[in-house]
Amino acid sequence: MTGGFVVEGGRRLCGDVTVKGAKNAVLPLLAAALMAEDEVVLEGCPRLMDVENMAGILRGLGCRVRRQGDCLTVDPRSADCFEMPERLSGELRSSIFLLGPILGRFGQAVCSYPGGCEIGLRPIDLHLSGLRALNASIEEAHGRINCLPSVLIGAPIHLDYPSVGATENIMMAAAKARGVTTITNPAKEPEIADLQDFLNAMGARVSGAGSDHITIEGVKRLGGTVYRPITDRIAAGTYLAAAAMTAGDVTVKNIQPRHIAAITAKLTETGCRLDSTETSVRLRAPARLRAPQRLETLPYPGFPTDMQAQMFALACIAKGTTIIQENVFESRYRHAAELTRMGADVTIRDRLAIITGVDELTGAEVQAGDLRGGAALVLAGLVAQGTTTVQGAGYIDRGYERLEEVLGSLGANIRKF
Ligand code: EPZ
């Protein structure tokens, strides 16, 4: 990944930032749009690499996709291909949840095995077993997944693990299946309820998202709609962590506080003061943070794994020792080695990270290895003594829109190259 960020440490972050549409809501909604028989307009869509790549895959399937400002319009009426373009689907992990919509639309599908990425193997067994339960006839060979022509039939499905992507894939395929599907032990992330609301806006009959039991009554036709996805709780959490680390005072706007309750609770443990309105959260940080002591990542409503790296960076300069347990992905500590190069005191033992806060980090040239780890390195650069260069802007651009402009508007000394 080329390009990067140069950060001069030592500036307090102060001011307001307005959060945009959630990457992890927009991606499944774009996939679901393939099943509509009319135009779909998504409002408040962030300009992110992952979103552009998903739009590219939809175009590869024959859809017309156009952006006007923050609006993305998908016209799936010209879609005529059920084979996912290999290059793009390899680049975008989340392309796997196009499988459900392609099956829902065409009754057959071919895609490449998305493969692992920087944070783990990312298997898709729960996706495939869920779709097979809906009568999909799936063959896997030579890294390709071949779904032979079949009629999707609703069924009771239990997920061994509340996988976000598998829940979304099954919801989308079931929306066009014959009969009723139930999903027990589904993911409960806010993005799941957003997908339910979007599918229902297109004429689907989905209920129970956010609970232990989702019910989908298949329908023959899904129409177009204009829809505004929920805003990005991980971007919001990232900006609040940056404010906390720099002894700042930042208000994040256009966010539902309950979506970031686990994050704000953990930040309160570090000594920050947090005040919420219905659509905003303000954080005021002390001069020196207290270590949060213990942090475990869990499926929602537990602490989100996508905020682990950012809190890891915070723990590096908080007073005391923090023990982090990453329960969701098997290798999501690539940022640890880079933070150590900045002077952090860290021990990694399998899924455990033991971090003893130091008084000061030192700027260095570091390498992003994944999206959230890259963001964590930028946050560390905000407080490090001197200059930090974070290589690998491409990782960060996947999930943050113009991160340098957002942090710069809050007072950071940061530029992108
Ligand atoms: C979604 O990924 C998010 N991505 C991830 O955000 C997020 O970290 C993750 O959910 C957990 O919240 C999108 O929504 C596009 P999972 P997903 O299926 O669906 C295992 C970011 O930084 N698993 O809930 O891939 C899997 O290996 C990204 O924005 C299986 O074993 O997550 C992992 O250990 C990173 N078999 C765990 O479940 C399967 O079939 C959680 O995965 C599927 C998953």
Side-chain angles (χ1 to χ4, degrees):
M1 293 271 186
T2 55
F5 297 87
V6 178
V7 191
E8 295 300 332
R11 298 280 191 86
R12 284 186 70 227
L13 297 193
C14 295
D16 297 353
V17 55
T18 299
V19 180
K20 288 197 167 180
K23 166 177 86 79
N24 292 347
V26 167
L27 292 174
L29 299 192
L30 284 172
L34 177 69
M35 299 189 290
E37 293 180 23
D38 206 336
E39 273 196 352
V40 166
V41 179
L42 293 182
E43 298 177 325
C45 267
R47 294 170 187 280
L48 301 171
M49 284 304 293
D50 276 4
V51 171
E52 300 314 313
N53 281 339
M54 180 62 88
I57 295 175
L58 289 174
R59 291 189 186 100
L61 298 173
C63 299
R64 275 198 295 279
V65 184
R66 63 182 187 282
R67 177 182 277 275
Q68 288 143 313
D70 277 355
C71 280
L72 265 184
T73 300
V74 179
D75 183 350
R77 288 172 291 193
S78 48
D80 56 2
C81 171
F82 55 78
E83 183 159 353
M84 244 197 282
E86 179 134 6
R87 183 182 61 80
L88 274 176
S89 50
E91 263 174 46
L92 187 65
R93 268 284 316 156
S94 39
S95 60
I96 186 60
F97 49 58
L98 260 165
L99 201 49
I102 295 175
L103 278 176
R105 168 74 187 259
F106 297 108
Q108 58 185 343
V110 178
C111 75
S112 55
Y113 205 93
C117 66
E118 314 80 14
I119 57 176
L121 291 172
R122 311 292 292 273
I124 58 169
D125 54 307
L126 298 173
H127 295 248
L128 301 184
S129 57
L131 295 174
R132 285 185 170 116
L134 296 176
N135 193 45
S137 164
I138 300 176
E139 290 172 356
E140 298 172 69
H142 319 300
R144 300 289 281 167
I145 297 164
N146 194 359
C147 303
L148 307 170
S150 54
V151 175
L152 294 179
I153 300 169
I157 295 172
H158 178 80
L159 287 178
D160 291 344
Y161 179 89
S163 155
V164 172
T167 303
E168 291 165 342
N169 233 335
I170 295 163
M171 284 168 73
M172 294 187 280
K176 290 290 300 291
R178 284 186 192 162
V180 178
T181 298
T182 56
I183 309 174
T184 47
N185 193 32
K188 299 179 188 166
E189 274 70 3
E191 292 77 18
I192 303 291
D194 210 30
L195 177 59
Q196 170 178 284
D197 294 346
F198 176 69
L199 288 169
N200 288 343
M202 293 203 295
R205 293 202 194 106
V206 186
S207 59
S211 78
D212 290 326
H213 192 108
I214 299 176
T215 302
I216 305 107
E217 208 181 313
V219 295
K220 284 199 182 336
R221 185 183 180 281
L222 291 174
T225 186
V226 178
Y227 191 81
R228 181 173 290 273
I230 57 171
T231 55
D232 200 314
R233 60 195 171 96
I234 304 302
T238 304
Y239 304 142
L240 290 175
M245 291 172 69
T246 58
D249 177 352
V250 168
T251 300
V252 174
K253 296 184 165 180
N254 196 26
I255 189 69
Q256 295 184 49
R258 66 189 174 86
H259 288 170
I260 56 173
I263 300 166
T264 50
K266 200 48 74 177
L267 288 169
T268 303
E269 284 180 38
T270 67
C272 294
R273 178 180 160 183
L274 286 109
D275 302 290
S276 303
T277 69
E278 278 203 355
T279 58
S280 72
V281 173
R282 179 181 182 185
L283 178 143
R284 280 171 273 193
R288 181 80 195 270
L289 297 169
R290 287 195 307 268
Q293 290 189 336
R294 192 150 179 69
L295 190 153
E296 279 208 60
T297 64
L298 289 165
Y300 193 91
F303 190 88
T305 174
D306 292 349
M307 275 297 299
Q308 178 259 104
Q310 299 89 315
M311 292 303 287
F312 191 119
L314 183 150
C316 289
I317 47 115
K319 188 171 174 47
T321 298
T322 303
I323 296 181
I324 294 180
Q325 183 159 334
E326 172 53 65
N327 294 311
V328 177
F329 287 102
E330 70 268 22
S331 56
R332 201 169 194 176
Y333 287 132
R334 286 175 66 123
H335 41 280
E338 299 304 292
L339 289 165
T340 305
R341 296 185 55 239
M342 296 175 72
D345 179 351
V346 173
T347 306
I348 301 290
R349 202 161 296 136
D350 192 23
R351 290 191 178 221
L352 275 188
I354 300 128
I355 304 156
T356 304
V358 294
D359 291 343
E360 190 171 77
L361 294 174
T362 307
E365 176 139 348
V366 290
Q367 174 65 48
D370 60 82
L371 162 57
R372 307 301 175 183
L377 295 176
V378 171
L379 266 53
L382 293 174
V383 297
Q385 187 66 29
T387 306
T388 299
T389 303
V390 181
Q391 297 285 354
Y395 285 110
I396 298 168
D397 292 344
R398 287 183 42 206
Y400 295 92
E401 182 176 349
R402 300 195 190 104
L403 181 63
E404 73 285 359
E405 285 183 19
V406 172
L407 297 178
S409 73
L410 295 172
N413 180 339
I414 179 172
R415 65 180 173 79
K416 192 175 184 183
F417 64 88

